[in-house]
Amino acid sequence: MATFHLHTIFSSLQGEGRNVGRPATFVRFSGCNLACKWCDTHKDERMSCTAEQILEKVREHTNKSVIITGGEPTIQRDLGELVSTLKDAGYWVALETNGVRAPSCAELFDYIAVSPKPDYFSRYMDNLMIREANEVRIVATSDEIVGFCRSMRARIKATDYYISPLETEGRMHYRRALNLLMKLKKGMPDAMPPWSLSIQMHKVIGIR
């Protein structure tokens, strides 16, 4: 029986992308295969649980949706066992991943959101990366990462593509995100689906 390494399990609203506002229980894994200098996500290990133990904790909340996030979930062994356990219990299950490696159990998820990281451009140039998702969200670490955004759009097939603002020391850099968005639209005015802005609603209204 697999043991999974977690930071926390909590209830909140999805704050980004197409499912913004959706009530969900977040299963946040510990650890990551990247080390983004601007990352503000707590991902130290605070608990180890089996799939059944995670299900018990998820059932403590009333949400019918579960979002598997991190850290980076795809570095966990036997992730498919957990997803199958949650699906068998009747939950809608989504994955949030940096996309460096495609999950072996991708077909089990109801929804996949991938957030490629510009600082690790070279890590996305091989066949291990994820190539298909429901949405792509790229943080505007700079308004000069137009090439990276276009490359990820070409390499990852998705229904929606979003630019998200970077947060540093409590400040949300919305103007930078908007500048990047406008540069992308100027270069690809008729691209469908169009690039959109994801404002990270959970940070705006001050929820977890």
Side-chain angles (χ1 to χ4, degrees):
M1 184 176 296
T3 298
F4 301 93
H5 306 286
L6 306 172
H7 176 75
T8 188
I9 298 174
F10 62 97
S11 176
S12 188
L13 302 176
Q14 173 58 274
E16 304 179 74
R18 191 197 309 171
N19 294 305
V20 64
R22 184 179 190 134
T25 300
F26 290 76
V27 177
R28 185 177 297 286
F29 283 114
S30 61
C32 189
N33 52 0
L34 302 180
C36 302
K37 57 182 178 294
W38 46 265
C39 181
D40 61 353
T41 300
H42 298 293
K43 48 187 177 291
D44 54 303
E45 184 177 339
R46 294 187 176 179
M47 65 179 85
S48 295
C49 302
T50 65
E52 287 296 331
Q53 289 171 331
I54 292 175
L55 176 59
E56 289 178 11
K57 293 179 182 296
V58 166
R59 281 176 167 159
E60 293 175 4
H61 307 282
T62 59
N63 308 310
K64 299 304 181 184
S65 300
V66 177
I67 297 178
I68 305 295
T69 186
E72 176 49 46
T74 63
I75 66 175
Q76 299 280 333
R77 296 181 60 183
D78 302 308
L79 184 60
E81 178 184 332
L82 172 60
V83 181
S84 294
T85 298
L86 294 169
K87 294 282 291 180
D88 290 345
Y91 290 96
W92 179 92
V93 183
L95 170 69
E96 293 185 334
T97 174
N98 59 35
V100 166
R101 57 186 296 180
S104 59
C105 56
E107 73 284 353
L108 297 177
F109 288 98
D110 295 291
Y111 198 88
I112 296 178
V114 57
S115 181
K117 310 306 182 194
D119 290 349
Y120 293 90
F121 201 159
S122 62
R123 297 285 296 273
Y124 295 95
M125 293 297 105
D126 58 38
N127 292 327
L128 296 178
M129 70 169 288
I130 196 168
R131 300 303 297 269
E132 189 169 351
N134 296 93
E135 67 180 58
V136 173
R137 302 194 302 252
I138 298 179
V139 176
T141 54
S142 162
D143 59 8
E144 301 300 327
I145 59 170
V146 173
F148 178 78
C149 293
R150 290 178 178 165
S151 177
M152 292 301 97
R153 181 172 182 133
R155 291 181 66 79
I156 306 173
K157 179 183 178 182
T159 304
D160 296 287
Y161 297 87
Y162 295 97
I163 297 300
S164 300
L166 175 69
E167 179 185 7
T168 57
E169 299 179 347
R171 178 189 175 192
M172 300 298 297
H173 297 275
Y174 293 113
R175 175 58 62 179
R176 181 187 296 170
L178 184 60
N179 288 343
L180 175 58
L181 184 66
M182 296 310 294
K183 287 182 178 182
L184 287 167
K185 287 182 178 294
K186 183 178 181 180
M188 303 174 65
D190 300 319
M192 293 299 293
W195 286 95
S196 300
L197 185 66
S198 177
I199 65 169
Q200 297 181 303
M201 179 271 292
H202 58 297
K203 294 183 179 180
V204 173
I205 64 177
I207 62 173
R208 192 174 188 178

